[in-house]
Amino acid sequence: MSSDLAMSLVVEMLWVAILVSAPILGLILAIGLLVSIFQVVTQIQEMTLAFVPKLLAVAAAIMMFGSWMLTTILQFSASTIANIPFYF
């Protein structure tokens, strides 16, 4: 396997990882920002107030985007496995 092929596989893998994690990370970022603003305005510094909404948001994001995430990972895996004979 040439180094160019290895680098292209790594780049593709990282791109798939970014695409799959983006919905969850974006939702957590938005929820965290909203909770932080709420805590600053109300001066409530409860740790569970920051943790529970993020946990619920992750569960909701997995339910909303889970099938797309799984499909994306399966397509990447299938194409990588199908191209194994061409790597050597």
Side-chain angles (χ1 to χ4, degrees):
M1 181 188 311
S2 70
S3 62
D4 292 336
L5 180 61
M7 284 303 295
S8 68
L9 282 173
V10 169
V11 167
E12 187 178 0
M13 177 204 52
L14 290 174
W15 182 245
V16 168
I18 289 169
L19 282 176
V20 168
S21 64
I24 292 176
L25 292 176
L27 194 58
I28 288 175
L29 179 67
I31 297 294
L33 182 63
L34 291 173
V35 168
S36 295
I37 291 171
F38 177 74
Q39 283 181 328
V40 167
V41 169
T42 61
Q43 295 183 353
I44 298 174
Q45 297 301 322
E46 180 65 32
M47 290 302 294
T48 57
L49 184 62
F51 180 72
V52 172
K54 290 179 188 177
L55 187 63
L56 294 175
V58 168
I62 289 174
M63 283 195 278
M64 288 188 301
F65 299 108
S67 63
W68 171 80
M69 293 163 69
L70 184 62
T71 302
T72 304
I73 292 171
L74 286 176
Q75 286 174 347
F76 171 73
S77 300
S79 69
T80 303
I81 292 170
N83 289 327
I84 285 176
F86 301 111
Y87 297 154
F88 298 104

